[in-house]
Amino acid sequence: MSDASTAGNRGAASSSSVTVRYWAAACAAAGREVDEVDPGTVADVLDAVRTLHAGNDRFMRVLEICSVLVGEEPLGGADPTAVVVAPGGRLELLPPFAGGAGRYETDRT
């Protein structure tokens, strides 16, 4: 992984907040496509998102299974407390998508 703390923020508009974008089931559970939160580490940004959606159990369940992109870079196995999302940066939350080898692929004889 490249340096997600800076790569994810390349070309970001000058802003004092971080844009958190929700995709697919995360968007449906959040009831919106984006939130704006204070910058900080990925862990800080996710804590802010949890606070915004406190009481939304469906959203919390979806959030736990999301992949995280900092800008265009996957967080992967990086420590969320060590990767910074700078002001004007973007964090993307992607739940698992349909596809891959599902039961229809494995049940064929």
Side-chain angles (χ1 to χ4, degrees):
M1 182 175 131
S2 68
D3 182 10
S5 64
T6 57
N9 299 314
R10 271 186 257 135
S14 178
S15 172
S16 62
S17 64
V18 167
T19 300
V20 180
R21 181 169 298 279
Y22 308 112
W23 293 94
C27 180
R32 55 186 170 255
E33 292 181 12
V34 297
D35 276 318
E36 299 288 330
V37 300
D38 290 335
T41 66
V42 170
D44 295 334
V45 170
L46 292 175
D47 284 345
V49 165
R50 287 183 187 96
T51 298
L52 285 174
H53 295 275
N56 183 340
D57 293 336
R58 178 179 173 210
F59 178 79
M60 297 303 168
R61 286 190 305 273
V62 172
L63 181 61
E64 293 305 314
I65 61 171
C66 283
S67 294
V68 176
L69 298 179
V70 180
E72 296 178 7
E73 297 292 325
L75 180 63
D79 180 357
T81 64
V83 177
V84 174
V85 188
R90 190 177 73 245
L91 192 94
E92 313 255 353
L93 297 173
L94 294 88
F97 289 88
R103 76 183 170 121
Y104 297 108
E105 292 292 321
T106 59
D107 287 348
R108 289 189 211 178
T109 55

